[in-house]
Amino acid sequence: MSQGHMIPMFDIAALLALRGASVTFITTPLNAARLRPALSPHHPISLVALPFPSADFGLPVCCESFDALPSPDLMRAFFEASKTLLAPSIRYLRRHPTPPSCVIADVFFPWAREIAREFGVPRLTFSGFNCFSTLCIRNLRAHGVLERVGSETERFVVPGMPHEVALVKAQLPAEAEARFVDLRAEMRDAEEMADGVVLNSFEELEREYLNVYRETTGKEAWAIGPVSLSNNPSNTINRGGKASTDELQCLDWLDQREPKSVVYVSFGSMGRLSPPQTAELARALEASGRNFMWVIKGGDGLPEEFKEEPVTERRMVVRGWAPQVAILSHGAVGGFVTHCGWNSALEGVCAGVPMVAWPLFGEQFLNEKLVVDVLRVGVRVGVERPGGLVEGEAIEKTLEEVMEGGEEGVLRRMRARALGEMARMAVEVEGSSYVNITRLIEYVLKHKSNRDLRLV
């Protein structure tokens, strides 16, 4: 339960509903309130809000989202609290006039397999990862690579990938962190036992990786994205929250800038830079001489002039949330500094905007490899491990490379625009993602038909 997972899952619900499926979306009251503004009369989705026992697990009252946790020390309690949603979910579905024919559950809810077992239906997982990162992590486990790697900085190659992927251990999700070993094991087991995976990606972007995943797992992988393109443009403004700056003010400010002249900077709903790194980035943005829009969650290390005068001719500093899909789609944006969370990276792809890849944690270093080395629509800022400090001069140089970059910069922008066009075509009628949704629905109907025959 965090914005980066709930929003694409809600888009998936909308896609299925638009194709005639009866969709029940189970969440909690505050998360339902976040999502409700995006509901459309054309999306027959039943939004079910189950009580979340925050206080019973030592969490702040009304803390129902991962990105609302005041401290990482509460992560374990949050996971344990989420498990209590199993019983009320089953009770609700038992009372529902139409029993479920499929369960699509976030990978962080391994207990959802009990729901599928209760009703004898397929269970599909959604992780928020792309197929490239999913396959990297799976192959490292399957080949026992990490057991043979000594130090955090020893470089190794991921086996079984269509392209060479070289990493160090520090760039991988911290699966071995002691306090989460059992939870990670639960998630891995649930993922292995799932009937298939739903991916926010599209065939043209990751065809080789999707094919390898299907061949090596024997399971189906339905790439049905980019799901952000499924939303009516008017709904993208209010997705996920409210900014301290009026959302229309963001777009009005962009309207007054030259085409492709603005650097957009955002590190996602959970990304935080250290105060020294924030100061270095601010210095680089100022020294670049370029227009920039910076969405920032914290503020420690931010220069006083940025706080006192957040909006000038050259800059707009937005504290909190901003309408990212609408911003990236604006013609004034020429480059995107991103943490490489998959939602953000894919939104950059959809907008046809070249990226500065600045991963912070989790699978983001893997996404950086895809964006920079495989798709070749990004430039690496140079951070080698979580928490690594990047000097202002290096940031400034990278900004110049992504906004200009000579002949290679021209080619990078051409590749970015081409991928954006492919993304739009994928979700059109008879596009690859449209066809994959059809295949997904047919898969569920086939299992439903077989189950009904067994019952008879």
Side-chain angles (χ1 to χ4, degrees):
M1 292 186 291
S2 68
Q3 288 188 53
H5 287 243
M6 286 187 297
I7 290 175
M9 284 206 76
F10 194 74
D11 285 339
I12 291 169
L15 280 167
L16 292 168
L18 282 170
R19 299 293 293 277
S22 174
V23 181
T24 298
F25 192 99
I26 297 178
T27 184
T28 65
L30 287 181
N31 291 317
R34 269 184 175 182
L35 295 168
R36 196 163 280 114
L39 272 177
S40 162
H42 307 295
H43 298 169
I45 299 170
S46 176
L47 193 57
V48 177
L50 300 177
F52 189 67
S54 307
D56 294 351
F57 287 82
L59 300 169
V61 176
C62 299
C63 180
E64 299 178 13
S65 176
F66 205 76
D67 41 280
L69 286 176
S71 166
D73 295 335
L74 294 172
M75 289 165 59
R76 176 80 194 208
F78 189 84
F79 283 127
E80 295 299 333
S82 74
K83 294 179 181 179
T84 66
L85 297 176
L86 171 60
S89 295
I90 290 176
R91 284 197 298 271
Y92 174 85
L93 293 170
R94 278 177 181 159
R95 295 195 303 266
H96 199 279
T98 307
S101 48
C102 180
V103 174
I104 302 177
D106 193 283
V107 71
F108 280 94
F109 297 151
W111 44 263
R113 62 186 172 189
E114 301 302 327
I115 300 176
R117 189 175 296 152
E118 172 77 15
F119 294 96
V121 298
R123 177 178 59 88
L124 313 179
T125 60
F126 174 80
S127 70
F129 288 13
N130 51 51
C131 192
F132 175 90
S133 298
T134 300
L135 191 60
C136 277
I137 293 168
R138 191 179 191 283
N139 286 0
L140 288 172
R141 288 179 193 150
H143 293 270
V145 173
L146 298 185
E147 286 79 357
R148 300 192 298 272
V149 174
S151 72
E152 292 286 300
T153 56
E154 180 183 339
R155 194 161 293 274
F156 56 87
V157 173
V158 181
M161 300 294 284
H163 301 91
E164 182 175 296
V165 182
L167 296 164
V168 297
K169 191 183 287 188
Q171 295 174 332
L172 293 170
E175 295 204 6
E177 193 173 346
R179 58 183 171 156
F180 297 127
V181 166
D182 57 332
L183 291 172
R184 291 282 186 185
E186 283 180 44
M187 286 188 273
R188 284 198 300 270
D189 290 346
E191 203 169 359
E192 289 296 321
M193 294 167 62
D195 297 288
V197 60
V198 178
L199 294 160
N200 184 15
S201 187
F202 57 103
E203 295 281 342
E204 293 81 357
L205 192 72
E206 300 193 88
R207 192 180 305 279
E208 290 177 279
Y209 300 98
L210 286 160
N211 288 340
V212 171
Y213 181 89
R214 290 162 180 151
E215 289 166 9
T216 56
T217 66
K219 296 180 183 180
E220 187 52 88
W222 291 277
I224 63 172
V227 297
S228 63
L229 294 182
S230 70
N231 244 287
N232 184 303
S234 64
N235 287 341
T236 63
I237 294 289
N238 294 317
R239 289 154 57 86
K242 287 289 183 181
S244 58
T245 305
D246 182 82
E247 52 266 11
L248 294 179
Q249 189 180 348
C250 293
L251 302 182
D252 288 345
W253 186 86
L254 289 170
D255 286 342
Q256 299 170 54
R257 312 279 87 78
E258 292 293 321
K260 307 302 177 187
S261 68
V262 176
V263 177
Y264 174 62
V265 184
S266 175
F267 294 93
S269 60
M270 295 177 63
R272 302 287 189 278
L273 298 181
S274 67
Q277 187 64 84
T278 298
E280 289 293 317
L281 175 54
R283 185 160 65 88
L285 289 167
E286 279 291 286
S288 73
R290 297 193 177 275
N291 301 323
F292 63 91
M293 179 179 287
W294 185 0
V295 180
I296 186 167
K297 301 300 186 294
D300 292 343
L302 198 66
E304 285 304 317
E305 60 265 31
F306 281 39
K307 297 176 183 177
E308 294 168 2
E309 195 176 7
V311 182
T312 69
E313 185 65 25
R314 273 195 52 224
R315 71 170 176 257
M316 173 173 272
V317 178
V318 180
R319 306 293 290 272
W321 179 89
Q324 181 162 290
V325 172
I327 290 169
L328 284 171
S329 301
H330 197 285
V333 175
F336 178 22
V337 179
T338 173
H339 63 306
C340 291
W342 184 236
N343 290 330
S344 289
L346 189 57
E347 286 165 4
V349 166
C350 293
V353 176
M355 291 171 261
V356 170
W358 192 329
L360 299 179
F361 56 81
E363 94 289 2
Q364 295 163 12
F365 285 90
L366 298 175
N367 296 339
E368 177 195 55
K369 300 286 183 184
L370 178 64
V371 167
V372 176
D373 299 333
V374 179
L375 303 178
R376 298 170 63 203
V377 294
V379 178
R380 192 173 278 109
V381 79
V383 63
E384 289 293 326
R385 57 186 299 140
L389 183 72
V390 186
E391 299 288 343
E393 291 79 4
I395 301 169
E396 187 181 348
K397 181 181 177 182
T398 309
L399 292 174
E400 183 64 22
E401 191 174 351
V402 84
M403 296 298 281
E404 294 292 341
E407 184 179 347
E408 178 55 32
V410 172
L411 294 173
R412 188 182 299 113
R413 287 187 286 276
M414 289 175 61
R415 287 191 290 267
R417 285 195 297 272
L419 283 179
E421 184 58 32
M422 288 181 199
R424 286 186 288 276
M425 291 175 64
V427 300
E428 295 292 333
V429 175
E430 301 309 322
S432 62
S433 294
Y434 184 94
V435 170
N436 278 342
I437 294 171
T438 302
R439 291 176 54 243
L440 170 57
I441 293 171
E442 288 174 348
Y443 171 87
V444 173
L445 289 174
K446 178 182 176 182
H447 278 263
K448 182 178 185 299
S449 175
N450 291 341
R451 183 188 61 181
D452 291 346
L453 285 173
R454 289 196 301 271
L455 291 173
V456 171

